[in-house]
Amino acid sequence: MSFDAVAVIGGGPGGLRAAHAITEIGGKAVLIEQREFLGGTPVAENYAGLTPHGEPAGPQIQRMIDAVTAHPDADVHLSSQVTQLDGEPGAYTLTVRGPGGEQPLECGAIVLATGFTHFDPGRETQMYGYYEFPDVITLPDLESMLSQHQVLRPSNGQPPERVCFIQCVGSRDRHIGNEYCSKVCCGVASKEAIEIRQLLPESKVYIFYIDMRMYGYWENEIYWPAQEKHHVQYVKGIITEVLPKGDRLLVRGEDTTMGRPMELPMDLVVLSVGMEPSAGTKEMARVLGVAQNKYGFVEAVGGPLDTVSTSREGIYACGAALGPADLEDTVSSGAAAAMKAVGYLHRRTAASAS
Ligand SMILES: Cc1cc2nc3c(=O)[nH]c(=O)nc-3n(C[C@H](O)[C@H](O)[C@H](O)COP(=O)(O)OP(=O)(O)OC[C@H]3O[C@@H](n4cnc5c(N)ncnc54)[C@H](O)[C@@H]3O)c2cc1C
Ligand code: SF4
């Protein structure tokens, strides 16, 4: 026995791309999203412009949502969660809890697209005072301000004159067990730094980094223009403390190029928080019985040439559920997971017909 639908769990960019691709290649998709809206983290966190070119995030993601919701072979369940998996590969039954109570959902294959969460800087081993000082914020906090086209100090509502970004907060940190690089935060911080310089041309903007890891073409698209055109100051250094000083913040650390201590006053400090698996990713991996890596992301077991197959037959994963990913990677893996899932169902149907 085989069921013909593919269940996609998670309605962010990865799940939306997977659901749309399933319908594009003639399959049926059932999309299950726990929130009452689609679009995932970029919508929930109010992203402003997308890296690298700064296109407004809202309309871009809305196009993805429309492609799914308008398709007759895509069925969307909002405010819904999967609580149980029964059956076998090709003939799974998910128990879905939604506004109308629990209902069974039959599907032949599953795509897990439950995404990531931003690192909570309260867990950082270095003390940056996120929960103490209102003018210490995170990349997504700043995205939200930028989406309103204004950057103001939360403490006094005034535009900041001096802003700095601290890179690798919650990533590349052995003490907290997140040794991995989150891939996007160097690019996103540089993009946000450019946007601040455009909004507040009198401001001074610094980026304190261990080493800049720009992603592919982002080097030329954001990193060099940030320095050469927008005069963002990149300082190779490690920040150890953020302290209050008068109505400003004092950022203290070491300039590792010059090999000397540094102390700089700032009006706004932005923590470049990395990516961790969402609670939904960890929970769904457990419910579906698929392997997770040591960080809690879903493990892709197919090696470098199959990046979406999980440890369980007929269950695939995509996007940031698999590890740190930008949108391009996310939508690519969403399409790959869709192709794998629909191909799997076709092979089963062909085998049972012969
Ligand atoms: C600060 C920051 C800025 C960024 N800016 C950019 C950028 O400008 N350009 C770029 O390319 N990339 C950017 N990224 C990366 C981008 O956000 C991710 O690549 C993308 O959001 C990943 O999409 P996703 O669908 O895999 O996960 P998500 O966007 O996290 O979506 C996952 C979805 O699954 C749902 N879900 C979770 N658990 C369950 C469950 N149990 N049941 C049902 N649904 C569930 C969630 O509610 C959510 O809707 C940024 C990342 C960060 C950290
Ligand atoms: S992308 Fe940059 S800020 Fe983010 S973890 Fe990697 S090196 Fe650090």
Side-chain angles (χ1 to χ4, degrees), residues 300-303 306-310 315-318 322 332-334 336-338 340:
V301 299
D306 171 5
T307 53
V308 296
S309 292
T310 71
I315 303 185
Y316 306 91
C318 68
L322 286 165
S332 302
S333 64
K340 281 279 196 187

Side-chain angles (χ1 to χ4, degrees), residues 167-168 171-172 180-186 211 213 272:
Q167 298 304 103
C168 300
S171 310
R172 303 178 68 197
Y180 56 86
C181 167
S182 286
K183 284 188 180 175
V184 299
C185 13
C186 278
D211 52 85
R213 295 191 171 176
S272 290

Side-chain angles (χ1 to χ4, degrees), residues 146-182:
L146 290 166
S147 68
Q148 303 300 313
H149 308 291
Q150 58 175 9
V151 175
L152 301 173
R153 295 178 67 185
S155 64
N156 61 10
Q158 296 300 309
E161 289 168 19
R162 297 171 62 84
V163 181
C164 76
F165 292 78
I166 301 176
Q167 298 304 103
C168 300
V169 175
S171 310
R172 303 178 68 197
D173 186 337
R174 290 184 177 186
H175 296 293
I176 54 165
N178 288 357
E179 302 96 346
Y180 56 86
C181 167
S182 286

Side-chain angles (χ1 to χ4, degrees), residues 87-260:
E88 57 191 55
Y92 285 125
T93 301
L94 296 172
T95 303
V96 179
R97 190 190 303 136
E102 287 202 337
Q103 54 172 312
L105 191 153
E106 292 177 339
C107 57
I110 299 168
V111 175
L112 190 52
T114 39
F116 76 102
T117 189
H118 299 281
F119 177 79
D120 175 358
R123 249 185 63 214
E124 177 59 50
T125 46
Q126 297 163 329
M127 293 303 294
Y128 294 134
Y130 180 68
Y131 291 108
E132 260 174 280
F133 311 127
D135 293 332
V136 178
I137 64 172
T138 62
L139 283 184
D141 295 336
L142 180 56
E143 277 294 322
S144 203
M145 288 188 196
L146 290 166
S147 68
Q148 303 300 313
H149 308 291
Q150 58 175 9
V151 175
L152 301 173
R153 295 178 67 185
S155 64
N156 61 10
Q158 296 300 309
E161 289 168 19
R162 297 171 62 84
V163 181
C164 76
F165 292 78
I166 301 176
Q167 298 304 103
C168 300
V169 175
S171 310
R172 303 178 68 197
D173 186 337
R174 290 184 177 186
H175 296 293
I176 54 165
N178 288 357
E179 302 96 346
Y180 56 86
C181 167
S182 286
K183 284 188 180 175
V184 299
C185 13
C186 278
V188 172
S190 298
K191 180 216 68 155
E192 291 185 1
I194 291 173
E195 287 173 299
I196 293 176
R197 290 278 304 132
Q198 287 171 326
L199 275 173
L200 303 170
E202 302 303 317
S203 62
K204 286 208 175 339
V205 180
Y206 300 82
I207 296 184
F208 297 113
Y209 66 96
I210 303 174
D211 52 85
M212 287 306 280
R213 295 191 171 176
M214 303 305 282
Y215 207 28
Y217 299 136
W218 289 7
E219 179 90 7
N220 214 29
E221 289 169 334
I222 340 177
Y223 177 62
W224 290 114
Q227 294 183 65
E228 292 169 355
K229 190 166 167 212
H230 302 283
H231 308 295
V232 175
Q233 310 280 321
Y234 287 78
V235 181
K236 189 172 174 69
I238 294 168
I239 302 302
T240 48
E241 278 185 296
V242 177
L243 304 163
K245 187 164 187 199
D247 73 340
R248 287 188 144 165
L249 296 165
L250 189 69
V251 169
R252 189 178 272 169
E254 188 192 339
D255 179 329
T256 48
T257 307
M258 305 304 285
R260 63 182 181 214

